[in-house]
Amino acid sequence: MENANLLVAADCTAYAYGNFYKEFIRNHITLIGCPKLDEGDYTEKLTAIIANNNIKSVTVVRMEVPCCGGIENAVKNALMKSGKFIPRRVVTISTDGNIIE
């Protein structure tokens, strides 16, 4: 992943937000998961990805529900553990399919 823009998204965001591909996936390397349904924490895997690749930016797309905070925290912790300063953007999707943050 040389000079990649990384997208880390909760799996339900693509279903909740109609322009997901156009606004988020295009021109990004995409990782999708669900902190509520997947086993474990993503921090270690994300730390390895960020530390071992040349990432330009990280965008997190999450839902407004509390369980999606896990995906945002994993990215935040992975960036800190990687020792790299990479711009991070968090976008929150409401349960009715709108961007609220």
Side-chain angles (χ1 to χ4, degrees):
M1 286 189 269
E2 193 66 29
N3 293 316
N5 294 303
L6 185 63
L7 169 66
V8 181
D11 56 5
C12 52
T13 57
Y15 299 104
Y17 188 70
N19 276 341
F20 190 82
Y21 175 81
K22 183 179 178 185
E23 292 187 34
F24 299 112
I25 291 180
R26 185 182 294 164
N27 299 319
H28 286 78
I29 301 296
T30 304
L31 303 172
I32 295 183
C34 177
K36 182 177 180 178
L37 300 176
D38 294 343
E39 190 174 309
D41 180 6
Y42 304 125
T43 302
E44 286 184 44
K45 289 181 182 181
L46 289 169
T47 301
I49 289 168
I50 292 166
N52 295 311
N53 293 281
N54 187 9
I55 307 292
K56 289 192 318 188
S57 69
V58 178
T59 300
V60 177
V61 182
R62 58 164 289 180
M63 295 296 292
E64 66 180 327
V65 296
C67 53
C68 267
I71 206 162
E72 182 178 351
N73 289 333
V75 170
K76 179 182 173 185
N77 292 334
L79 285 168
M80 287 190 309
K81 288 182 175 191
S82 75
K84 294 184 177 182
F85 178 77
I86 298 172
R88 175 179 58 108
R89 174 180 169 218
V90 177
V91 178
T92 303
I93 308 293
S94 68
T95 56
D96 62 356
N98 295 304
I99 293 176
I100 57 174
E101 233 174 88

